[in-house]
Amino acid sequence: MAKEHPRLKLGKRAAFVKTHLKQLKQENDTWEADFRALPKRKGHAETNYLGLVVALPRRNPLVCFPLVEYRPNVNDLADLLAAAMRRPMSQSAHRPRQILLRNNPRWEELFPHLNQLGIKVSIQNELPNVEEVYEDFLRQMRRARSTPLILYTPRPTDIQKAFPAIAVWVQGYGHIEIGDQEGVGFVVRALDYGGLVFEDDKPESLAEAMASLEMGLTAWFKEQGINVESPDRQ
């Protein structure tokens, strides 16, 4: 369990290394970033948090941290933003011009370091784009839990409706890999003929892995201007 108010960790052992991040190209874009509490799993008392960074104006998810098992602190935010800059899901690595955050005293220690990277911090009462992506993530999780992954029903299109981006991907763009990672959780990947396009090693269940993959591929298709919405959502 992390301390309630730990100090910001910087340097070689941290994900947020200013000398590395400053080498990234800076784009004239704006991000929303925040953490949202996930529904408690049955039989578990702890609350997990989902970290999200969303690029405006198209609401492209850049990074998703689904396994913060305590109230997020400034180091979690620093890790989240560093991952969005260095390994975004749907764009090339870069620094944004502005980041929108909710008012939280825990974040303030990071602000001067963002300013040193040329990134303006703006405090907002609401982050509607993060909220929309979060709600979509929950829908994907619910759909993953309720949809059978073995096609034994007389309706073979159920999987395509539940995971339209994954269905389109495997039918013409590449293949996916889902499996246990040394007994500690699932790893999920999407690969095309050029190599790795998306990877997430944070899910703890097949449902979370499928939801994460669907969200990652949806963001990738959106970046390419390809609509893969399920027929029942159009």
Side-chain angles (χ1 to χ4, degrees), residues 57-230:
R58 298 179 63 185
R59 297 188 298 275
N60 286 343
L62 299 181
V63 69
C64 166
F65 281 4
L67 291 178
V68 179
E69 298 177 347
Y70 47 85
R71 183 174 294 182
N73 58 56
V74 67
N75 291 299
D76 297 308
L77 179 64
D79 291 349
L80 184 73
L81 296 179
M85 290 185 235
R86 298 175 62 184
R87 299 183 301 277
M89 293 193 300
S90 58
Q91 298 181 12
S92 59
H94 71 283
R95 289 175 289 146
R97 188 69 60 184
Q98 183 179 32
I99 295 177
L100 308 182
L101 299 167
R102 288 192 300 175
N103 186 26
N104 189 330
R106 291 184 178 86
W107 307 153
E108 294 177 359
E109 191 179 357
L110 183 61
F111 294 173
H113 302 283
L114 291 170
N115 289 332
Q116 290 172 15
L117 293 173
I119 301 172
K120 179 183 177 181
V121 175
S122 179
I123 302 301
Q124 306 290 311
N125 292 328
E126 297 181 353
L127 299 174
N129 297 281
V130 162
E131 190 65 29
E132 183 168 335
V133 172
Y134 168 68
E135 292 295 335
D136 187 61
F137 182 86
L138 294 184
R139 284 194 294 270
Q140 300 290 357
M141 288 185 65
R142 288 192 293 267
R143 186 176 291 116
R145 287 169 179 159
S146 63
T147 302
L149 298 180
I150 301 175
L151 297 180
Y152 59 86
T153 73
R155 296 178 295 172
T157 59
D158 283 352
I159 297 297
Q160 294 175 337
K161 290 180 180 179
F163 305 105
I166 296 175
V168 172
W169 180 265
V170 299
Q171 289 171 5
Y173 289 87
H175 68 279
I176 63 173
E177 298 176 355
I178 302 176
D180 182 71
Q181 183 175 250
E182 298 180 356
V184 299
F186 282 86
V187 59
V188 58
R189 302 185 181 97
L191 303 97
D192 63 11
Y193 300 107
L196 185 67
V197 171
F198 173 81
E199 180 181 55
D200 187 1
D201 61 358
K202 304 296 192 303
E204 288 189 333
S205 67
L206 180 59
E208 290 183 7
M210 291 292 288
S212 176
L213 179 60
E214 177 68 18
M215 189 170 71
L217 288 179
T218 297
W220 185 89
F221 280 121
K222 185 180 292 186
E223 182 71 15
Q224 309 305 312
I226 301 171
N227 180 18
V228 295
E229 287 291 304
S230 176

Side-chain angles (χ1 to χ4, degrees), residues 8-53:
L8 177 63
K9 297 177 182 178
L10 298 174
K12 295 181 179 180
R13 295 186 178 181
F16 194 96
V17 181
K18 286 185 289 184
T19 55
H20 295 167
L21 298 175
K22 203 164 188 177
Q23 295 174 5
L24 300 176
K25 180 180 179 181
Q26 187 166 33
E27 302 285 355
N28 190 28
D29 60 349
T30 298
W31 297 353
E32 288 184 6
D34 203 7
F35 292 87
R36 290 288 190 272
L38 290 170
K40 290 184 179 181
R41 292 173 294 169
K42 187 176 181 179
H44 291 75
E46 73 276 6
T47 299
N48 290 347
Y49 290 84
L50 177 73
L52 287 168
V53 179

